[in-house]
Each structure stands twice: as structure tokens, then as C-alpha cells.
Amino acid sequence: MVKEGDLLWTPSPAFAEASNVTHFLRWLRDRRGLDFADYDALWRWSVTEIEAFWAALWTYFEVQSGTPYQRVLSSRDMAPGVRWFEGSTVNYAEHMLRFSGNGEDPAFFHLSETRPLGRTSRRSLGAQVRIVATRLRSLGVKPGDRVVSYMPNVPETAIAMLATVAIGAVWSSAAPEFGVKTVIERFSQIEPKVFFAADGYRFAGKDFPRFDEVQAIAAALPSLDHVIWLPYLNEGAELPPVADAILWRELMDHSEVPPHLFVYERVAHDHPLWIVFSSGTTGLPKAIAHSHVGALMEHLKLCHFHLNLKPGSVMFFYTTTGWVMWNIVLAGLLVGAAVVLYDGSPVHPEPDVLWRMAAETGTTCFGASPTYVQILERKGLEPGKTHDLSRLEAILLGGSPATPESFAWFYRAVKSDLWLTSQSGGTEIASGFVGASPTLPVHAGEIQTRMLGMDVHAWDDAGGDVTDAVGELVVTSPFPSMPVYFWNDRNGRRYHSSYFDVFPGAWRHGDFIKINRRGGCYIYGRSDSTLNRYGVRIGTAEIYRAVEQVDGVLDSLIVCCELPGGNFYMPLFVKLRPGTQLDDALRQRINARLRQDCSPRHVPDEIHQVADVPYTLTAKKMEIPVRKILMGWAPDKAASRDAMANPPALDAFIALAEDRRRIAVA
């Protein structure tokens, strides 16, 4: 059985030599006289000589700016308000569309449950973006105006985003599976001027019309001037009864706009690019604004060095338009790669649908969540034996901590020669803190390294560095993709309290991390959902890994509630395979596994069977809301059902809380 830290893969000399990291190392030596022995030396330079590192990237990537920057960084203080590349004027979309190749090179491959596999060339993408951008300008959209979307992961959504950004307007997106309340909570904060909306979407063979939802959302947004309507489920769908609605095909009914006649709006260093939102499981979601220059520099670095994308690469990650991973996948265009867009269930009509798509598109980098891997493993799939994955070079796991078993499955069932990457970051930075390098070996369950320019450390409660021990993930130096601000955050108080209140002068992200002596990283789940039992902190990820290896267990969730008198209540909830019941024998097997793989302190006080584990719309287990409910919070204050992927899953926890309350009263 594979163990955490086992060596699974080492890059061949040819693979490492051809990597973008190695090319950059040669460039630094030849152009700057800087000679670094390996990735670790390069990382250390990137976080100590911060200005020199990012200035080198500006030149290396040939960033196009209407005016020269005056300085790379305004201050090394790790705090909100740090300014990057002041004086520059750039446009993110301009850089995404500058790699035209021969014009017929693919920009997008796209597949959905309603449309067959299609292909959009770079020439066609540029032409469509210029038309939509020109039409938006004619509708009165100006730099700084907000444009929002309630559309699936299809080319029209990406075109709308690129067109919005191209004219300096600010983009924000919600996935069509989001409920009305969730969307209004987000979009009402930013007062959009234009609303792109689809008539619905299809998932697992079932249609979900969104006519009424679009009407309700538009009615709640008095700032709207126009709704752009995409008939997606039904090409003949009527326009919603909202003011100034325009059909997508009418928007596109415009003569071609030649590239030399189109002007990208190059904006200042702190001009907002898009607004992304925190999950919003409790309270109003945070409206997080990133800048053009910050996202551009971060995504150029990420795609080149940590995803190793190049012209000719094909990038896929299973995501929806409501998750920041959608933005990150589209960033593949920055380096001349093609991007694969998929809308629908990842296991319908067959569980191998994504692998068939990967084979047909020649995907070189395939991304999904560890949860998806567990589904495939349980179904006994071996995609490497049934599909031509000869072009596949890399795997990107993200969204939650990946287990050693997930790593081993890829090498067993997909491909033995594979650069398997697990990466971790957040919506707040639209990137990763820890990730991968194609020059380093892969160890089971381990994230290869800290990303370039990310001064990441594991700290104990006193703010001291720890190695080979679990601590708080902190970042001690500024980086370009820090939010420029939270929208409507008066005096920046919410921004500051979110990341800087615990350790002044350091960004505390809210994850538990362990960094070993070779620089490998392990993420152990959210520190704000930590199981703090009698003074011992336990990460939930290590419990899930052990429990979900027990035969019959499909999923699990654990919380720890503080009780009066210094006591604790730590229940474990398990979703079981159909036909399996939670009896004493299964409870004993679960507890024995936790004692063996973890420690006696990891054994729960109780184990309960539930029909489903509650998840957010971005596939995060809802540990904190469940904990609050069990501690007596009103359910509607503890969790927003509109921000959930499976709202009925919460009912079992509400019922348990009520039972405990009745027993306590009796």
C-alpha cells in the first residue's frame, strides 16, 4: 500500500530540460548573470529579491504596457494596499489574445451535454471578442462599469468575459446552478450595468430552465441597463420580460472589427479586472477585486512555471463558471495553449466522458478534484487502458487535499510516466500558494513545492517557523495577485480582518500546512474548522483519508464542538455505499482504522450515518456551518442553502441538533 511521501515519479532529463522552468533559469544566467543551481535556489531568490524577480518576469514575458512602470513594488510590508508596477497601463485580455499563431490554431475545444465536441480557432475567438466588445461600448459600457454573467461553461461565456475585460469594464460570474438568493447577494453588491444570462443548463441528462430565475435576478438589480440573453437549452427560447433584453445572436449581428481598428483599454495598475466571491456559506460573500496587472503577472508565472503550458499545450480542468478555477483555466490562453471547456456532469452519460474528451482533444494537462478521482476508483475505471492518452503529460489536482491513494491511482490506472501535481491556493489570490515544478520528483500525497514569488511558511501559534510539523499557512511577503480591495469594504476593515488580524505583518490564509525538509508541502484542511480536542489540534483531512479507506464508506464529515466546562463533542458523519448499514461492526472498523492510521485522539465520540455530506457550490465540505448548527445556531444563520450544492443534506444535522437540544432540556 502506498504511504505518504513515497517516491512515485522522477522527471526524465529530457522532460526537465525542455521545461519552462529550465528555460527561465538559462535566461536568467544569460541575460542577468544570475546562476541558480536548482528550483529551490530560484524560489529563495524570488522571495528575497522580490523586486528583481518580478521585474525579470516583466521583461521575460514581454508585458505590453502603454506607459513604463515607475517602480515594481511600493512597499515590502505584508498588508493591504501594496501597489505593484505603478505607472504601468496594461490590459489582461490583450495579452490573452496576442498569441494568434497561424490563426487556425485552436483557442477552445468545447463539449457539453447539449452540444457535440467543437473547436474555436484563435482567429475566430479574436473576431468574436472584438464584436462583443464593440457592441458593449455602443451600449454605453465604460471602463470600471460592472458586467455580470449567469451562464454555463461554454464559449459564449468566455467571449463575454474577454470582451468585458478588453474595454476596461469589470467582470463577475455566477454559475447557473446557483440559486436566486445566492446570485442576488453577490451581484447586488457590485451594481452591474449589463447581465449576460442563459435560458438554462443540462446536468446528468436533466434540463434545468432558468427563465424565472433570470427574471427574478434582473428585477433585483436596478442598476441594469441591458440583459444579453443566450438561448442555450432551447435555441428558440423567448426573451425574458425584462427591459432592454438583447439576444446573443443579435449582439453578434455586426460586421467584423479588424484587429488594427480595435483598441484595448489599457488601464492603471490598480484598475479592477474582475470580482470573485468567497463561498458565502454564512454571511454576505466577500466581493474580492483583483487588478489587471496583478492577475496578469501571477497567471503568466503560474501557467509557465507551475503548469508548464506552452503553445501547443491543451489545458482542461473540470470546473463551473462560479469557481475561480474557471478564470485560471482560461489563463492558459496567455501562453498560447488551447483550453478545453466542458459543461455537464463529469460522469454522464458514461463515467469516462472526460477521458474520452481528453483523448479526442489531445489534452496535455488534465485537472479535476480528488473527489472525482475517488468516484472513478470506486467504479473500477482504468482510462489509460481504454483511451489514447499519449499526449497527456500532467495531472492537476485541486479543490481539496489529495491523498496518497489518489496519486497512486493515476500511476496505476492512467499512465506510469506522468507529472502529477497537487496545488493549493484560493479565490482570494486567483492562483496557488503551493504547487508544482516539472523539474522536481513526485511523492505520494505531497505538493511538490512552494510557488515562485510566494513566501509561504508554516507557523506555530507564537509565529515561529516549523518544519516537518503542522502549522498555520502564512505568507510573509507581498505578491501581485493579492486583492486590490474588497468591493464596498469601507476603510478595508473586512479585507484586513480576513487575513491580517491573527499575525500582524503576515497573511494568514486559514489552512493548516506542513513543509518538510525537502520543501514538499501538505495541506491538512482549513484551520478555522480544526478539531481542537483537549488542546490538541487535528486536521480534518487526515481523518477523511483514514475513514474513506474503510470498505463501505463513500464520504465523511467530522466536527468538534466546544462544550461548557472545557469538554468537547466530536461526532463523525459517514455516507455509506448503497446496501451498507452503520452497525457496531462497521463502527469498530472505522475507529480501529483511525487509531491505527492517526491516533486514539482521532477517534470520534459518536458515528452517525447520513444520506449525504453537505457541500458548497464550489465542492467544499461544510464543516463550519455543521459545527455551528450542532452548537445551537439557527440553521438559516449558520448556512445559506442557496450557496449549497445539495441543500437537503443539511436536514440530518438540523435534526440531530434538535434531538440533542431536547435531551439537554429533559
Side-chain angles (χ1 to χ4, degrees):
M1 181 178 174
V2 66
K3 302 187 301 299
E4 185 178 270
D6 284 354
L7 178 65
L8 299 178
W9 178 85
T10 300
S12 68
F15 184 81
E17 182 65 20
S19 71
N20 292 331
V21 168
T22 300
H23 184 274
F24 183 52
L25 286 169
R26 286 198 298 266
W27 184 89
L28 287 171
R29 183 189 62 221
D30 296 342
R31 300 289 185 88
R32 299 295 171 92
L34 298 169
D35 197 359
F36 299 108
D38 52 22
Y39 179 90
D40 184 63
L42 178 63
W43 174 79
R44 293 186 183 282
W45 173 70
S46 76
V47 297
T48 53
E49 301 297 330
I50 302 171
E51 294 89 347
F53 169 70
W54 289 104
L57 291 192
W58 183 279
T59 303
Y60 180 75
F61 293 129
E62 299 179 354
V63 173
Q64 303 299 302
S65 175
T67 53
Y69 65 82
Q70 297 160 4
R71 56 180 174 177
V72 173
L73 181 62
S74 64
S75 170
R76 286 206 178 189
D77 292 340
M78 187 44 162
V82 172
R83 299 179 297 282
W84 287 89
F85 296 101
E86 289 178 271
S88 66
T89 52
V90 303
N91 187 280
Y92 184 86
E94 179 180 10
H95 287 81
M96 293 184 81
L97 295 171
R98 67 175 172 169
F99 285 97
S100 58
N102 65 14
E104 296 311 312
D105 291 340
F108 296 145
F109 294 100
H110 37 91
L111 175 68
S112 75
E113 292 191 22
T114 64
R115 298 173 175 176
L117 182 64
R119 180 182 184 275
T120 300
S121 70
R122 290 189 169 272
R123 179 179 289 118
S124 176
L125 175 61
Q128 293 180 75
V129 168
R130 290 192 297 274
I131 288 174
V132 175
T134 300
R135 291 301 311 275
L136 288 174
R137 279 173 167 157
S138 72
L139 293 174
V141 179
K142 303 182 297 298
D145 288 341
R146 275 75 65 203
V147 174
V148 297
S149 163
Y150 190 53
M151 304 220 292
N153 188 12
V154 293
E156 291 90 339
T157 314
I159 290 164
M161 186 273 273
L162 287 166
T164 297
V165 172
I167 64 173
V170 184
W171 173 261
S172 193
S173 176
E177 64 266 23
F178 284 15
V180 170
K181 181 174 180 286
T182 294
V183 178
I184 292 173
E185 282 181 343
R186 285 157 169 74
F187 291 167
S188 62
Q189 295 186 59
I190 62 176
E191 300 177 301
K193 195 168 188 175
V194 174
F195 180 26
F196 285 88
D199 64 335
Y201 67 100
R202 183 175 296 166
F203 189 88
K206 182 180 178 181
D207 286 349
F208 294 86
R210 281 295 180 260
F211 188 90
D212 293 340
E213 285 81 356
V214 169
Q215 187 177 350
I217 293 165
L221 300 174
S223 60
L224 284 182
D225 288 344
H226 300 279
V227 174
I228 313 297
W229 181 245
L230 175 68
Y232 175 61
L233 283 182
N234 176 13
E235 289 190 3
E238 60 183 296
L239 282 167
V242 296
D244 297 308
I246 303 169
L247 282 170
W248 176 270
R249 62 176 173 268
E250 294 174 354
L251 187 77
M252 298 300 297
D253 186 15
H254 189 280
S255 58
E256 186 171 342
V257 181
H260 68 279
L261 294 181
F262 182 80
V263 177
Y264 288 94
E265 190 72 36
R266 291 180 173 177
V267 295
H269 70 280
D270 59 350
H271 188 90
L273 163 67
W274 55 47
I275 297 168
V276 291
F277 290 90
S278 61
S279 59
T281 52
T282 60
L284 203 62
K286 297 189 288 285
I288 303 163
H290 294 122
S291 69
H292 281 246
V293 75
L296 174 63
M297 296 304 295
E298 179 59 36
H299 288 171
L300 284 168
K301 181 206 73 177
L302 172 72
C303 291
H304 273 87
F305 304 137
H306 303 292
L307 298 177
N308 202 37
L309 298 179
K310 310 169 184 177
S313 297
V314 180
M315 167 71 178
F316 168 74
F317 192 95
Y318 180 72
T319 183
T320 73
T321 55
W323 187 15
V324 76
M325 280 305 301
W326 182 79
N327 308 58
I328 293 173
V329 169
L330 290 180
L333 296 174
L334 286 169
V335 300
V339 170
V340 183
L341 308 176
Y342 176 75
D343 184 59
S345 166
V347 291
H348 179 86
E350 300 295 337
D352 65 345
V353 60
L354 298 185
W355 295 101
R356 185 172 67 250
M357 180 185 69
E360 292 173 352
T361 58
T363 293
T364 59
C365 181
F366 182 99
S369 70
T371 304
Y372 169 72
V373 178
Q374 292 169 9
I375 293 171
L376 299 186
E377 188 171 12
R378 288 169 186 142
K379 291 181 179 293
L381 260 65
E382 295 184 300
K385 296 181 180 179
T386 54
H387 299 284
D388 178 8
L389 301 177
S390 55
R391 293 203 71 221
L392 185 66
E393 296 179 344
I395 296 292
L396 169 60
L397 292 176
S400 60
T403 65
E405 291 77 17
S406 294
F407 278 52
W409 179 83
F410 279 101
Y411 288 107
R412 182 177 69 251
V414 178
K415 205 171 185 179
S416 59
D417 185 15
L418 204 58
W419 177 40
L420 177 55
T421 80
S422 177
Q423 313 209 17
S424 184
T427 299
E428 305 91 328
I429 66 167
S431 185
F433 291 118
V434 292
S437 171
T439 62
L440 297 175
V442 172
H443 297 265
E446 184 173 307
I447 299 172
Q448 285 179 294
T449 187
R450 290 169 278 195
M451 288 188 177
L452 296 175
M454 293 294 184
D455 198 2
V456 173
H457 301 267
W459 275 9
D460 59 23
D461 288 342
D465 267 295
V466 294
T467 303
D468 283 326
V470 178
E472 289 273 3
L473 190 162
V474 300
V475 189
T476 57
S477 300
F479 50 91
S481 66
M482 291 169 60
V484 282
Y485 44 72
F486 290 177
W487 203 268
N488 292 331
D489 179 22
R490 185 168 182 169
N491 299 322
R493 290 174 183 169
R494 196 176 187 198
Y495 183 4
H496 189 279
S497 66
S498 295
Y499 310 109
F500 297 98
D501 269 2
V502 176
F503 298 112
W507 173 298
R508 171 189 173 268
H509 192 60
D511 280 342
F512 271 148
I513 185 173
K514 180 176 74 176
I515 304 173
N516 62 27
R517 295 190 183 280
R518 62 170 169 262
C521 305
Y522 296 85
I523 298 293
Y524 290 102
R526 298 292 295 171
S527 59
D528 48 11
S529 59
T530 302
L531 311 176
N532 191 336
R533 205 179 191 198
Y534 299 104
V536 177
R537 297 191 303 189
I538 301 171
T540 55
E542 53 189 317
I543 287 186
Y544 298 145
R545 181 195 170 199
V547 170
E548 290 164 25
Q549 292 302 308
V550 175
D551 187 42
V553 178
L554 294 178
D555 204 355
S556 59
L557 183 140
I558 193 164
V559 297
C560 189
C561 305
E562 298 85 3
L563 301 177
N567 295 316
F568 298 88
Y569 169 58
M570 193 169 87
L572 170 68
F573 303 91
V574 292
K575 176 183 178 180
L576 303 180
R577 193 182 303 277
T580 304
Q581 290 297 316
L582 182 63
D583 54 20
D584 287 342
L586 181 54
R587 285 188 174 91
Q588 289 171 10
R589 290 204 305 275
I590 292 172
N591 288 339
R593 186 61 176 262
L594 286 168
R595 285 192 185 93
Q596 173 187 314
D597 290 4
C598 302
S599 80
R601 290 186 180 274
H602 290 69
V603 175
D605 296 314
E606 297 173 358
I607 305 177
H608 297 269
Q609 182 175 350
V610 292
D612 209 359
V613 169
Y615 280 87
T616 69
L617 287 165
T618 53
K620 308 290 187 187
K621 293 185 183 185
M622 295 178 60
E623 297 159 326
I624 297 172
V626 166
R627 175 175 170 272
K628 288 180 177 179
I629 288 170
L630 294 180
M631 292 184 69
W633 284 49
D636 60 336
K637 299 294 185 184
S640 168
R641 288 179 180 262
D642 284 339
M644 293 182 62
N646 50 351
L650 213 57
D651 295 339
F653 301 94
I654 295 171
L656 176 61
E658 292 174 349
D659 288 345
R660 286 178 53 80
R661 194 154 42 247
R662 281 195 295 268
I663 292 171
V665 170

